[in-house]
Amino acid sequence: MDHPFVKTVKCTGTPYAIGFTHGSAVSTEVHSNIKTYTGFYLETAKITWDQARERAVSQFMSLLEAKYPEILQEMKGIADGAGGGLTREDILTLNVRSEIALTNYTDGCTSLSQCTPGGEVFLAQNWDWLEELERGMVFLHIQPAGSETTFKFLSEAGIVGKIGMNNKGFGFCMNAIRSGAFDNTKFPIHVMSRRLLEYATSYDSAVAIIEEFGLASSINYMIADKTGKHASIECSPRGNVFILPQDQFVGHTNHLYGPDRPQKLVDHPAPNSFARLARIQELTAHDREHNLPTSFASLRSRLSDEEGTPYSICRNRPPGAVGMERMTTLSTIIMELTGCTGKVTTGRPCDDLPVVDWSF
């Protein structure tokens, strides 16, 4: 079923047509997100929206024109569809929010991948971010013209790629990493996320895409495919570090912990990132020791954990929080790759929430 208040937008056709449908359907949400990130850039990077746009254009426009022009066509469509004087450059500015500001500040997320003895392959994540973005979310279902790949993801309106899966049995989750490492000859995070959704058909092809284009800033991708191949990949402009599963499980939060980290790569995580990682590992070990099957329900239960609240896996806004500390869990995304199905909730998973089902 569709969500009662987060819109589901089905987009088909050329890149421009996909963007125009996206922007037209969630115009209010796109403008709301630009307002949110105008304040976000001012608070974290000390720059205005106009200055952020100048930075986005100077750093990434030439790169994308050369290596991914169709995504710029889609951004033009989003701007035209959303109206209100928005330009392609405004939508680009929204899509490089991680490169502009998350080198200074990071959101909080807990993710995991796990295979079951019966062969199921799960990806699961809590996405924690600014509470006002509850008003700016959208479910996007995209079928590009001439492609056999369709894909579904939960996004912020106006952003072209985020947590999701495709009909080839490939999917990924994302964990922000606060690090000053930056290289504008490589793809912005959300542009890379879109590239993976549209063109990765397996774990191996996803790794090849990441290695071909690289990441302009730091991110952890939790990737998996229907064959059961899965890992956590700490990506940065200085190289990629693979964290392989143990006991068919790997978890990640918002700090680097993989082996053989690239030289001079430094992250600046919040203390709760370490606690959340330890806790999701503990909960997974508990389920395994008690022979509790991994399922949509058991994964949601783990992601509903409130130990250490408000900075828990299921995060709540801290009392009196202002500025960037006003984060909460905005959504829980759980995907099973062998059957190409998913279940998504918006809000804190420990609450009673409507469930959106994904299938292909």
Side-chain angles (χ1 to χ4, degrees), residues 3 57 60 85 89 134 172 225 244 281 307-309 328 340 350:
H3 196 277
V57 170
F60 293 109
E89 289 72 19
E134 290 176 332
F172 63 83
D225 69 23
L244 300 179
Q281 291 171 334
E307 181 173 289
T309 190
T328 187
C340 286
C350 51

Side-chain angles (χ1 to χ4, degrees), residues 55-246:
R55 183 181 296 184
V57 170
S58 66
Q59 291 178 339
F60 293 109
M61 188 65 77
S62 296
L63 170 75
L64 296 178
E65 284 175 341
K67 294 189 174 181
Y68 202 179
E70 59 267 36
I71 207 65
L72 292 176
Q73 296 167 21
E74 185 168 326
M75 291 180 188
K76 168 67 171 168
I78 295 170
D80 290 351
L86 292 183
T87 65
R88 177 185 67 171
E89 289 72 19
D90 287 311
I91 302 303
L92 175 63
T93 307
L94 190 60
N95 276 274
V96 299
R97 55 96 157 166
S98 298
E99 287 65 36
I100 290 174
L102 290 189
T103 52
N104 303 302
Y105 199 88
T106 182
D107 52 0
C109 303
T110 302
S111 66
L112 62 97
S113 62
Q114 187 169 8
C115 293
T116 71
E120 293 173 303
V121 183
F122 283 99
L123 287 167
Q125 171 171 356
N126 276 358
W127 173 41
D128 307 335
W129 197 212
L130 306 174
E131 61 181 358
E132 55 264 49
L133 285 167
E134 290 176 332
R135 303 188 296 270
M137 292 188 285
V138 60
F139 291 102
L140 288 166
H141 299 180
I142 297 181
Q143 171 68 73
S147 174
E148 294 181 356
T149 302
T150 61
F151 48 98
K152 301 182 179 185
F153 60 105
L154 174 70
S155 193
E156 302 160 69
I159 288 184
V160 296
K162 208 169 175 67
I163 308 152
M165 64 190 302
N166 63 32
N167 65 331
K168 303 300 183 180
F170 168 79
F172 63 83
C173 300
M174 304 166 65
N175 303 89
I177 302 292
R178 182 184 176 189
S179 172
F182 178 78
D183 184 346
N184 71 327
T185 67
K186 300 179 179 181
F187 273 11
I189 287 168
H190 289 91
V191 171
M192 175 62 80
S193 297
R194 171 52 177 276
R195 187 84 184 187
L196 291 171
L197 285 167
E198 188 163 352
Y199 293 103
T201 58
S202 66
Y203 174 100
D204 290 336
S205 63
V207 171
I209 290 168
I210 290 170
E211 292 181 344
E212 178 182 0
F213 295 103
L215 272 300
S217 62
S218 299
I219 186 75
N220 181 75
Y221 279 119
M222 185 77 68
I223 71 172
D225 69 23
K226 63 184 179 183
T227 71
K229 202 165 187 179
H230 63 117
S232 194
I233 310 176
E234 294 177 342
C235 302
S236 83
R238 299 199 171 111
N240 306 318
V241 174
F242 291 74
I243 304 173
L244 300 179
Q246 296 184 358

